């Protein structure tokens, strides 16, 4: 295509189609870049977690200093001494484990620095929705170790209502404000996931990273490939229409 033909080609372009093509292309590129950024975040987090394995568990007071300094406290190992509140157990619904449906068992733990939710592990549920698993709440004094997970906001499909409360209480997700009102105590802004070496609790199958970095990079490659394919398709279609119109 010479310069004169190229100018004629540009004059015949539908610029609304061009704008639409560029918008879709840029959207696909942004999705690819977002997945790439997520992969980098996961890789950095894995490095942090590996470094934590060689460190001693922190106290709540030390953790508070890190929070005050605006440092990321996710996954930090924590050591707590205190006692479990024997009846205040929450069952987080719709938690899967190897294709089985069940619950995560969360119990309130009172320490000298405040009350905190402790994730004791996973238990299998029943097909009958009105039937809850048999849970034996922990009671008495304990010294426990676990890993910190900040409670992040999530999409609420159905508002949780706690008009009638019976323990253990089945819930859809962790809501620190509502849980604090239920138990009459202010909860610390994180959950402690019990260390896998602890004898107490249930099946400890929690993973700090659900989707590995490699999967994010795979998704990024797909988005970039779609962006390239889309651009090639639209350019090819445009050239084809130009040739047909001239013929």
């Amino acid at each position: 295509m010479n310069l004169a033909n190229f100018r004629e080609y540009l004059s015949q372009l539908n610029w609304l189609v061009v704008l639409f093509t560029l918008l879709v292309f840029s959207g696909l590129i942004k999705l690819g870049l977002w997945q790439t950024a997520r992969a980098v975040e996961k890789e950095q987090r894995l490095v942090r977690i590996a470094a934590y394995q060689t460190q001693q568990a922190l106290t709540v007071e030390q953790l508070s200093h890190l929070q005050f300094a605006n440092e990321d406290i996710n996954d930090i190992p924590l050591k707590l001494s205190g006692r479990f509140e024997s009846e205040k157990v929450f069952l987080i619904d719709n938690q899967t484990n190897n294709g089985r449906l069940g619950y995560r068992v969360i119990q309130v733990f009172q320490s000298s620095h405040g009350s905190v939710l402790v994730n004791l592990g996973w238990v299998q549920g029943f097909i009958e929705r009105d039937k809850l698993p048999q849970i034996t709440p922990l009671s008495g004094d304990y010294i426990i170790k676990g890993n910190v997970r900040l409670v992040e906001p999530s999409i609420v499909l159905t508002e949780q209502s706690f008009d009638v409360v019976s323990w253990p209480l089945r819930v859809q997700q962790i809501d620190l404000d509502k849980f604090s009102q239920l138990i009459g105590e202010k909860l610390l802004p994180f959950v402690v996931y019990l260390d896998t070496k602890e004898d107490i609790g249930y099946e400890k199958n929690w993973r700090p990273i659900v989707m590995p970095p490699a999967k994010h990079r795979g998704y990024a490659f797909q988005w970039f490939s779609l962006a390239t394919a889309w651009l090639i398709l639209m350019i090819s279609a445009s050239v084809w229409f130009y040739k047909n119109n001239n013929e």
Side-chain angles (χ1 to χ4, degrees), residues 117-178:
L117 297 176
V118 176
N119 187 326
L120 298 175
W122 179 90
V123 293
Q124 187 166 350
F126 296 97
I127 297 177
E128 300 86 354
R129 291 293 298 162
D130 59 343
K131 193 174 181 181
L132 293 177
Q134 293 296 319
I135 299 297
T136 304
L138 297 173
S139 60
D141 296 329
Y142 283 89
I143 298 176
I144 62 172
K145 290 183 180 180
N147 294 82
V148 172
R149 294 289 298 277
L150 287 168
V151 178
E152 299 176 353
S154 56
I155 298 174
V156 180
L157 298 178
T158 304
E159 188 69 23
Q160 298 184 101
S161 177
F162 302 119
D163 296 331
V164 179
V165 176
S166 61
W167 304 99
L169 181 63
R170 176 165 55 197
V171 297
Q172 299 303 313
Q173 61 185 15
I174 295 175
D175 187 324
L176 290 177
D177 291 335
K178 288 187 176 181

Side-chain angles (χ1 to χ4, degrees), residues 5-247:
N5 288 339
F6 182 67
R7 286 176 177 172
E8 185 182 355
Y9 167 72
L10 290 178
S11 68
Q12 294 181 16
L13 281 177
N14 185 328
W15 290 102
L16 285 177
V17 174
V18 172
L19 179 61
F20 175 71
T21 300
L22 293 176
L23 285 173
V24 173
F25 176 76
S26 61
L28 293 171
I29 291 295
K30 283 183 179 180
L31 287 170
L33 292 174
W34 175 68
Q35 287 291 350
T36 301
R38 292 289 291 156
V40 173
E41 289 175 11
K42 295 290 182 68
E43 287 169 346
Q44 292 173 345
R45 189 173 176 187
L46 286 172
V47 171
R48 273 203 321 272
I49 291 171
Y52 290 151
Q53 304 303 318
T54 62
Q55 299 178 7
Q56 288 188 340
L58 301 183
T59 64
V60 176
E61 188 175 2
Q62 291 170 322
L63 194 70
S64 299
H65 291 317
L66 292 178
Q67 280 186 291
F68 184 76
N70 290 323
E71 293 193 30
D72 186 4
I73 63 170
N74 266 321
D75 309 310
I76 286 180
L78 185 69
K79 186 176 182 180
L80 284 170
S81 60
R83 61 187 299 110
F84 282 101
E85 296 196 13
S86 58
E87 67 172 17
K88 293 171 182 176
V89 177
F90 298 92
L91 299 178
I92 311 297
D93 203 358
N94 298 316
Q95 303 297 307
T96 57
N97 181 30
N98 295 325
R100 298 173 296 162
L101 198 60
Y103 302 86
R104 288 204 180 277
V105 182
I106 309 287
Q107 189 165 351
V108 179
F109 186 83
Q110 284 186 329
S111 73
S112 57
H113 296 279
S115 297
V116 64
L117 297 176
V118 176
N119 187 326
L120 298 175
W122 179 90
V123 293
Q124 187 166 350
F126 296 97
I127 297 177
E128 300 86 354
R129 291 293 298 162
D130 59 343
K131 193 174 181 181
L132 293 177
Q134 293 296 319
I135 299 297
T136 304
L138 297 173
S139 60
D141 296 329
Y142 283 89
I143 298 176
I144 62 172
K145 290 183 180 180
N147 294 82
V148 172
R149 294 289 298 277
L150 287 168
V151 178
E152 299 176 353
S154 56
I155 298 174
V156 180
L157 298 178
T158 304
E159 188 69 23
Q160 298 184 101
S161 177
F162 302 119
D163 296 331
V164 179
V165 176
S166 61
W167 304 99
L169 181 63
R170 176 165 55 197
V171 297
Q172 299 303 313
Q173 61 185 15
I174 295 175
D175 187 324
L176 290 177
D177 291 335
K178 288 187 176 181
F179 287 10
S180 296
Q181 292 174 6
L182 284 175
I183 66 175
E185 305 167 32
K186 181 67 175 176
L187 288 165
L188 295 175
F190 54 83
V191 177
V192 177
Y193 281 65
L194 204 61
D195 192 280
T196 55
K197 296 178 182 178
E198 292 286 346
D199 295 330
I200 58 175
Y202 304 93
E203 189 171 347
K204 303 174 186 70
N205 65 339
W206 73 279
R207 292 178 294 171
I209 292 179
V210 177
M211 186 182 293
K215 201 162 187 178
H216 283 289
R217 294 196 185 280
Y219 285 138
F221 177 76
Q222 289 178 3
W223 289 121
F224 290 141
S225 299
L226 283 172
T228 304
W230 169 257
L231 194 60
I232 292 173
L233 174 66
M234 296 305 288
I235 291 174
S236 300
S238 177
V239 171
W240 183 83
F241 278 115
Y242 167 74
K243 288 182 177 179
N244 279 354
N245 286 338
N246 283 310
E247 290 174 359

